[in-house]
Amino acid sequence: MIPLFRRTARTLGGLVVAAIALAGTAQAAPKPDVAHFTLDNGLEVVVVPDRRAPVVTHMIWYKVGAADETPGKSGLAHFLEHLMFKGTAKNPAPRFSQTVAFVGGQENAFTTQDYTGYYQRVPRENLKMLMEFESDRMTGLVLNEQAVVPELKVVLEEYNQRVANNPRARLGEQIDAALYLNHPYGKPVIGWRHEIEKLTRDDAIAFYKRFYTPNNAVLVVAGDVTADEVRTLAEQTYGKVAKVAEIGPRHRPQEPPPAAVRHVSLADPRVQQPSLHREYLVPSSTTAKPGESEALEVLAFILGRSNTGRLHNTLVVERGLAVSAGGWYRGTALDATQFGVFASPKPGVTLPQLEDAVDAVIADVVSKGVTPDEVERAKNRLIADAIYAQDNQATMARWYGMALTTGSTVEKVLSWPDRIRAVTTDAVNAAAKTWLDKQRSVTGYLVAAPHREDKRT
C-alpha cells in the first residue's frame, strides 16, 4: 500500500507536478472557496467544496513517512499503514471496511517518504460515519500477534510482487540509494527486505504512539459540503481525540554537496527492453528559493513531459536512437528531491551511445538555453493540466494533503498557477545551468542478463 494508493512505484513525476496546482481557468477565474482551520487539539482541516455530485472524499493525512523511521526499521511506516485496518476495541476489524462497502463507498491508503494517508469516498450523508471510524482508529488501534504476524507476510509478498520481481523497481531502489548518500530518502518506502522481516508488533505500536496523534494530522474533505458542516462534524468526532504525543520539527540528515558522477547497472534475465534512467539531486518546492521549483517544473516539461519535448524530438524523432525518451520533476517533497530523465534505445544502439545523446541534449539546453516560445507553451500546458485534473475530486483533496504534509500551505497551492505564469525564460535557463550538472546525478542502466542454466543433476 504505497503511492499512488497501494503502489510500490515511486510517485510519478507528472502527477506530482500537477498536484500542487489548484486554480480556476488558465487566465482568470475565481479561486476555489477553500477553507482551512485548526481544531483545539491541533488537527488541521481543509475543506474543498465540489457541488457537482452528492459525494465526498474524506482523507486523513499523517505527517510521517518512510523518511521518519528509526534507522534499521525501514518499512515500518508502510507496515503500520497495513495494520491500521486491524480494528479498534470499539470497531473490530473488518467493521470499518464492511460499512464503507455497504454504503457503496471506496477506501484505500498510501505511504510515501513524507506522509501516510487514508481515504474514503462515499455519499455525502455518510461523512459523519467516516469521521467517527477514522477518529476512533487515530489513537484506538488494537494490535495483537495474531493480527501482526500474518500482515507482515502480506507486506513481504507485496515486496516480492512490486519490487523483487520488477527489475525497473529494483533499479530505482539502487539509483535512489546512490543519489542520497546521507538522507533517508535513499531507502525505499516499502523498506529493505532484511529489515522488513524483523519488524515486530512492539515496533509498530511504538511508531503508532509516536506519530499518530491529531496534532500531527491533516483532515481534507472534498465534495458536496460546506466549511461549516465539516467544522461541526470534525469537532464532534476528531475534536474529541486527545493529543497523545508532542511533535517536534522534522529534522532529517541532509545531503552533502555532490562530489562525483555516479553510475549503477542492473542486469536481469526478465528485462526485454534496456533502458537508461538518471536522477539529479535538486531542490523541492519546500527547499527551493522563490521561483526556483516552478522553473524546474517548466524545465522538466520542456525537456521531456510530452512528445514535443527536447529529449523525445531529438532522440526519437530526429536521430532515431530511442523508442522513448522523457523527463520529470518531483517537486512535492519535504527535503531535496529528484529531477529525472529516461530513454530506451532502439535495437543496435547501446546504452553508452544513448547516454552520450542524452548528455548532448542536456548540454545544449545548458549552453544555449530554452526559447521563450518553449517556456510559454510549457506554462500554458502545466496550468491546463491542473485545470483538467480538477474533474477528479480525490485529486483535489490530494493536492492539499500533499502540500500541508510537506511544508507547504493552502495559500501556496492556490497561488501555484500565478507562480507558474511568472516563470521567465531566464529563470528556466538559470535552473538548467545550476542543477543539470552530471556531478549531481546518478545514471542507471537496466540491461538483460542471460538466463542461468539449472546445473542440478
Side-chain angles (χ1 to χ4, degrees):
M1 287 182 274
I2 298 180
L4 285 171
F5 304 151
R6 302 197 182 193
R7 294 292 188 268
T8 56
R10 294 165 295 163
T11 309
L12 295 176
L15 275 177
V16 173
V17 168
I20 266 304
L22 185 60
T25 62
Q27 295 301 324
K31 292 182 178 180
D33 186 20
V34 177
H36 179 214
F37 52 89
T38 302
L39 301 186
D40 290 342
N41 59 6
L43 177 71
E44 286 189 84
V45 183
V46 178
V47 184
V48 188
D50 176 20
R51 314 311 289 267
R52 294 173 297 177
V55 296
V56 293
T57 296
H58 170 276
M59 288 185 165
I60 188 73
W61 300 69
Y62 293 93
K63 298 177 184 179
V64 59
D68 302 296
E69 295 162 343
T70 302
K73 304 288 184 182
S74 65
L76 185 53
H78 173 242
F79 183 37
L80 179 58
E81 177 217 310
H82 277 246
L83 295 175
M84 285 291 285
F85 291 85
K86 296 304 178 181
T88 67
K90 182 178 179 181
N91 295 296
R95 182 180 296 169
F96 189 174
S97 295
Q98 286 179 339
T99 304
V100 172
F102 181 77
V103 300
Q106 301 170 327
E107 66 164 350
N108 218 319
F110 48 93
T111 304
T112 73
Q113 294 285 8
D114 291 319
Y115 49 79
T116 308
Y118 306 84
Y119 82 94
Q120 304 84 25
R121 191 166 189 257
V122 297
R124 70 179 309 277
E125 60 268 22
N126 300 118
L127 178 59
K128 184 177 182 180
M129 174 266 292
L130 292 181
M131 290 184 171
E132 290 172 341
F133 274 118
E134 199 68 86
S135 61
D136 176 41
R137 72 174 173 181
M138 177 174 279
T139 59
L141 183 65
V142 174
L143 295 179
N144 53 49
E145 290 294 337
Q146 291 72 29
V148 172
V149 173
E151 200 61 36
L152 185 60
K153 295 180 180 178
V154 171
V155 172
L156 288 169
E157 181 56 29
E158 183 179 349
Y159 178 89
N160 289 336
Q161 292 178 357
R162 305 292 187 184
V163 181
N165 295 319
N166 184 334
R168 188 179 295 268
R170 290 174 60 210
L171 177 64
E173 281 190 344
Q174 297 303 307
I175 292 175
D176 285 347
L179 184 69
Y180 290 101
L181 302 176
N182 195 44
H183 193 283
Y185 284 170
K187 58 185 175 64
V189 172
I190 198 168
W192 299 115
R193 184 183 180 92
H194 69 286
E195 293 185 348
I196 300 172
E197 292 173 339
K198 296 179 181 180
L199 295 177
T200 67
R201 171 181 175 272
D202 289 344
D203 292 332
I205 291 175
F207 195 78
Y208 175 67
K209 290 182 177 179
R210 179 181 173 191
F211 292 110
Y212 279 58
T213 178
N215 48 314
N216 197 42
V218 179
L219 169 66
V220 184
V221 179
D224 189 15
V225 291
T226 66
D228 289 341
E229 289 172 334
V230 172
R231 184 189 291 271
T232 297
L233 294 178
E235 289 175 343
Q236 293 173 351
T237 53
Y238 288 103
K240 296 179 180 179
V241 180
K243 299 178 184 179
V244 295
E246 292 299 327
I247 304 297
R250 299 172 78 181
H251 295 313
R252 286 106 166 238
Q254 298 300 304
E255 284 300 294
V261 176
R262 286 149 288 172
H263 283 81
V264 298
S265 181
L266 178 70
D268 192 294
R270 293 165 294 189
V271 173
Q272 297 181 346
Q273 173 62 60
S275 55
L276 176 153
H277 304 265
R278 178 182 296 164
E279 293 181 3
Y280 294 86
L281 187 68
V282 300
S284 68
S285 58
T286 303
T287 64
K289 298 176 183 178
E292 198 168 41
S293 176
E294 294 81 3
L296 284 167
E297 288 179 348
V298 174
L299 175 62
F301 191 95
I302 292 171
L303 267 178
R305 276 205 56 226
S306 74
N307 288 340
T308 62
R310 290 279 192 104
L311 287 166
H312 181 90
N313 270 345
T314 302
L315 304 181
V316 178
V317 178
E318 296 175 4
R319 299 189 60 186
L321 297 174
V323 295
S324 64
W328 49 270
Y329 168 58
R330 187 173 302 144
T332 305
L334 187 62
D335 296 311
T337 189
Q338 305 106 319
F339 186 108
V341 296
F342 60 88
S344 293
K346 282 190 173 181
V349 178
T350 68
L351 287 177
Q353 289 172 331
L354 186 60
E355 183 178 358
D356 288 343
V358 169
D359 287 343
V361 174
I362 294 173
D364 186 67
V365 169
V366 171
S367 63
K368 299 178 182 178
V370 299
T371 69
D373 285 345
E374 286 178 310
V375 172
E376 287 305 309
R377 285 196 301 270
K379 293 194 297 184
N380 289 337
R381 179 62 183 275
L382 286 169
I383 295 171
D385 284 351
I387 294 168
Y388 300 147
Q390 291 181 69
D391 279 339
N392 188 309
Q393 191 179 92
T395 296
M396 290 194 292
R398 285 200 299 271
W399 292 343
Y400 290 96
M402 285 191 291
L404 293 178
T405 52
T406 56
S408 190
T409 65
V410 168
E411 290 71 24
K412 288 193 71 174
V413 176
L414 289 168
S415 69
W416 186 89
D418 292 335
R419 289 184 284 116
I420 287 294
R421 291 188 190 100
V423 172
T424 65
T425 303
D426 287 344
V428 176
N429 290 333
K433 291 180 180 179
T434 302
W435 302 112
L436 297 188
D437 178 351
K438 201 169 182 180
Q439 187 168 285
R440 302 188 61 84
S441 74
V442 176
T443 302
Y445 286 0
L446 185 62
V447 299
H451 290 270
R452 295 179 179 178
E453 294 183 4
D454 189 345
K455 297 183 178 181
R456 291 176 296 176
T457 59

